[in-house]
Amino acid sequence: MTVFPPTSRETFAASYPEVPHILAHSLDHHPLLEREALAQLAEALPEPSVEYNAADQPIGIDGKPAPTGIPIGETIRRIETSASWAVLKNVEQHTPYAALLAELLAELTPAIERRTGRMLKTQAFVFISSPGSMTPYHFDPEHNILLQVRGSKVMTQFPAGEPRYAPDRVHETYHTGGGRELTWREELLSGGREYPIGPGEAVYVPVMAPHFVRNGPEPSVSLSITWRSEWSFAEADARAFNGLMRKWGMSPARPARWPASNRAKALGWRVARKLGAG
């Protein structure tokens, strides 16, 4: 049985890689995504693969919030009352989750490869959130589909590549080791678009599209499946090269969005790193 119905695969093929959109899926009763299975997974993952903190966060934060001190297994098992937000990173480290990720991406592979070529660095993340949780304003370097399994969320997305929402210097710093958190200002809200999702729904997030996510009134479980492409790596390397050019006193133009390749600047950064200048 397929997870994404034909209409969703058609929508994805028409929209990928630059247009956010909602998809349907049939993953909302999968046994690997039940609460106890996720608690056991969290307890088995290496420490760097688990991140969790208090759920009551503002839209904009400076750096990562501190953990709550509640053990991760207890955090997940009591997610209704633990007032927490947790992410299990790279769950494909465990064979059953790797198989699930491969199954999901296989359904979308033809559409992806037609546009951005072979999928690189495929990964999966599981988010478990208490009612009312906030995932603060940030961006991510991957192509990303967030599948809602339990509860509901509203993702507010902003246009990718627009410096009003994510300044060029923040991109450049991120791609040379800085954080992905963005500075929030209330006047930005008018430029965002809300994507509400419940069980059986998913939202696609373009590479580096700024967004924040507010959880609904119930505990939430969602699965994020991500992949990189040569285009996404070239965009990242072009950003890093721009940061180097800025250090040299230049004012470089920002990388172009897909389908521009950004190949020249990406190559410049890769050469600079080999020479030790990056």
Side-chain angles (χ1 to χ4, degrees), residues 132-155:
S133 300
M134 171 66 73
T135 303
Y137 188 50
H138 69 287
F139 52 32
D140 300 301
E142 306 95 352
H143 307 276
N144 178 15
I145 299 175
L146 181 70
L147 299 96
Q148 192 67 17
V149 178
R150 305 274 186 279
S152 62
K153 288 181 173 177
V154 178
M155 176 184 285

Side-chain angles (χ1 to χ4, degrees), residues 76-97:
I76 293 172
R77 292 183 178 98
R78 298 196 299 108
I79 199 65
E80 293 94 338
T81 58
S82 60
S84 298
W85 171 95
V87 57
L88 311 183
K89 304 176 184 179
N90 300 115
V91 298
E92 74 280 357
Q93 296 173 79
H94 283 239
T95 301
Y97 292 89

Side-chain angles (χ1 to χ4, degrees), residues 4-239:
F4 297 106
T7 53
S8 287
R9 295 199 302 273
E10 290 167 8
T11 298
F12 178 81
S15 305
Y16 179 77
E18 286 290 84
V19 181
H21 54 280
I22 298 291
L23 302 167
H25 69 84
S26 60
L27 207 62
D28 44 321
H29 295 291
H30 200 287
L32 288 177
L33 300 173
E34 296 292 341
R35 183 92 57 85
E36 181 57 29
L38 293 174
Q40 292 180 28
L41 173 65
E43 291 168 337
L45 285 169
E47 187 175 341
S49 297
V50 177
E51 180 183 340
Y52 58 108
N53 52 251
D56 185 17
Q57 300 294 330
I59 295 177
I61 59 171
D62 183 12
K64 293 196 178 293
T68 60
I70 305 172
I72 185 60
E74 185 180 350
T75 293
I76 293 172
R77 292 183 178 98
R78 298 196 299 108
I79 199 65
E80 293 94 338
T81 58
S82 60
S84 298
W85 171 95
V87 57
L88 311 183
K89 304 176 184 179
N90 300 115
V91 298
E92 74 280 357
Q93 296 173 79
H94 283 239
T95 301
Y97 292 89
L100 177 60
L101 174 61
E103 176 187 340
L104 292 171
L105 290 177
E107 295 185 21
L108 304 174
T109 296
I112 291 169
E113 291 187 342
R114 274 197 300 270
R115 296 288 181 91
T116 56
R118 185 168 61 93
M119 282 183 288
L120 307 170
K121 199 177 180 181
T122 59
Q123 297 176 303
F125 306 80
V126 178
F127 298 88
I128 307 102
S129 312
S130 294
S133 300
M134 171 66 73
T135 303
Y137 188 50
H138 69 287
F139 52 32
D140 300 301
E142 306 95 352
H143 307 276
N144 178 15
I145 299 175
L146 181 70
L147 299 96
Q148 192 67 17
V149 178
R150 305 274 186 279
S152 62
K153 288 181 173 177
V154 178
M155 176 184 285
T156 303
Q157 278 197 53
F158 298 82
E162 292 289 337
R164 178 186 177 202
Y165 305 107
D168 292 333
R169 284 176 173 81
V170 177
H171 279 276
E172 293 158 13
T173 301
Y174 170 71
H175 288 303
T176 52
R180 65 184 65 195
E181 294 78 24
L182 295 166
T183 300
W184 176 252
R185 306 186 309 276
E186 284 298 321
E187 61 265 27
L188 297 178
L189 189 58
S190 61
R193 180 176 174 182
E194 291 187 347
Y195 293 89
I197 52 173
E201 296 178 311
V203 58
Y204 171 71
V205 189
V207 170
M208 303 305 278
H211 58 281
F212 64 85
V213 184
R214 192 183 300 276
N215 207 51
E218 300 173 346
S220 168
V221 174
S222 50
L223 170 69
S224 180
I225 58 172
T226 74
W227 63 97
R228 299 294 298 270
S229 61
E230 179 51 38
W231 180 85
S232 76
F233 280 119
E235 192 269 353
D237 288 345
R239 289 283 189 182

